[in-house]
Amino acid sequence: MGQQVFLQHTLTALLTGSRLRLPDFMRVELSPDGLISRIDEYYDSRATDVLAEAGL
């Protein structure tokens, strides 16, 4: 296994009368030659409840 890179960010979107804030965490695994070999993304799905409330 090569190196791993971690990224934490928050996706924010304005919806009709609602606001979506989705904290997100990504893990990117690089092969020994520096190419991306795997990407994993994690987020709390409860944060997407606002989409159902907005009818999306």
Side-chain angles (χ1 to χ4, degrees), residues 2-55:
Q3 297 180 339
Q4 292 185 29
V5 178
F6 299 92
L7 173 68
Q8 183 177 358
H9 61 277
T10 301
L11 170 70
T12 304
L14 296 176
L15 307 170
T16 306
S18 301
R19 181 180 208 152
L20 172 66
R21 289 184 46 84
L22 184 61
D24 189 78
F25 175 83
M26 290 182 75
R27 181 177 69 91
V28 180
E29 191 173 302
L30 303 173
S31 64
D33 58 359
L35 300 175
I36 295 174
S37 59
R38 182 180 177 128
I39 298 175
D40 294 304
E41 186 171 22
Y42 305 95
Y43 65 90
D44 184 354
S45 61
R46 289 179 295 168
T48 61
D49 289 348
V50 70
L51 295 174
E53 294 168 8

